[in-house]
Amino acid sequence: MTREEFIAKNAHLFWYIKKEAIPKIGNEVLVEFIFNYGTWQDVKDLIKIIGYPELKRVYEDITDRKIGNYIPEMLDLMGRITHKYAS
């Protein structure tokens, strides 16, 4: 599955983004929405598409912020995944 197909399949998760803007979302937004609102299979598919190095980059960028939009448990899960597989 390509990134574009994955985004189209999960377009319903991007509920407050305008439809015409959804195909153009960056990996930061994609990771946030999939981890917060997607299924476990969606998370696994996302990692296959963007790879562990990109997931780690997104994780490191968001952990530097004071305010985040992640559900705390999902942020913890992302941290565990990146520490185990992307280190």
Side-chain angles (χ1 to χ4, degrees):
M1 178 180 318
T2 67
R3 184 180 187 280
E4 292 75 22
E5 291 169 339
F6 180 74
I7 290 171
K9 175 184 161 242
N10 291 290
H12 63 282
L13 299 177
F14 308 104
W15 48 273
Y16 71 80
I17 297 176
K18 292 180 182 179
K19 286 185 181 186
E20 60 274 5
I22 291 174
K24 302 173 196 165
I25 62 172
N27 283 342
E28 295 79 7
V29 174
L30 182 59
V31 169
E32 176 186 328
F33 277 76
I34 296 301
F35 268 81
N36 280 341
Y37 308 117
T39 65
W40 177 238
Q41 187 60 51
D42 293 335
V43 170
K44 293 190 301 185
D45 291 343
L46 171 69
I47 293 169
K48 285 180 189 174
I49 293 167
I50 68 169
Y52 289 111
E54 178 63 9
L55 181 65
K56 182 178 181 180
R57 186 198 64 77
V58 170
Y59 176 74
E60 289 173 348
D61 285 351
I62 60 171
T63 54
D64 289 341
R65 298 183 200 158
K66 292 184 179 183
I67 297 175
N69 295 326
Y70 284 86
I71 296 169
E73 294 83 3
M74 296 298 99
L75 187 59
D76 181 61
L77 175 64
M78 189 187 321
R80 291 172 185 263
I81 291 170
T82 57
H83 291 307
K84 184 169 183 174
Y85 298 106
S87 295

